[in-house]
Amino acid sequence: MARIIRWEPVMATGIQFMDQEHRQLIDDVTALNAAFDARDMAAASRIFQTILDDVQSHFSNQELAMLQHHYPQGDYAAHKGEHDEFLMQLRFFHKRLDKGSATLHADILEFMSAWMTAHMLGQDRKMGHQMAMRAA
């Protein structure tokens, strides 16, 4: 059974729109898990597409905010690089989803949950702290 990401207050960036988008993405992953558990592949495919769309929108919003707040270029590049790699992996999984087994489904959920947790606790919290410091 895959470990599914859950919102924890420690994940907060302090930037309201980002934290709201993070919570929505976590809800989407939970919904994907429920669709997999129900073996409803039509719903799983729709939810996965929603996740892809929401992730792309979230990353665009976040990257724009970093540029608007003059986020250090090296930090921006590293952060954006993580975003690009995550999207590439999600697209790979999405292509394989219809052919997937329960093992693939668990792998998808584990990957998303682990990556999102690490990214929120690492890069995103760092970004939130740096933006708060610049705003002060």
Side-chain angles (χ1 to χ4, degrees), residues 57-76:
S57 175
H58 172 67
F59 288 171
S60 292
N61 293 340
Q62 204 174 64
E63 290 163 9
L64 179 60
M66 286 189 281
L67 291 172
Q68 288 173 336
H69 287 86
H70 307 288
Y71 200 66
Q73 185 60 34
D75 291 339
Y76 173 84

Side-chain angles (χ1 to χ4, degrees), residues 73-135:
Q73 185 60 34
D75 291 339
Y76 173 84
H79 199 135
K80 185 175 181 345
E82 285 187 18
H83 288 173
D84 294 345
E85 288 178 26
F86 184 65
L87 275 170
M88 184 175 64
Q89 187 64 44
L90 288 184
R91 288 182 186 116
F92 171 77
F93 279 135
H94 193 235
K95 286 180 186 175
R96 295 185 53 215
L97 185 62
D98 292 334
K99 301 172 188 143
S101 65
T103 303
L104 176 64
H105 301 163
D107 290 346
I108 290 169
L109 293 166
E110 285 277 350
F111 171 75
M112 285 181 177
S113 293
W115 188 93
M116 289 169 61
T117 298
H119 187 77
M120 286 179 201
L121 292 174
Q123 288 283 6
D124 287 348
R125 285 186 66 213
K126 175 183 174 182
M127 175 196 55
H129 178 73
Q130 287 187 5
M131 286 183 171
M133 296 283 288
R134 289 184 182 280

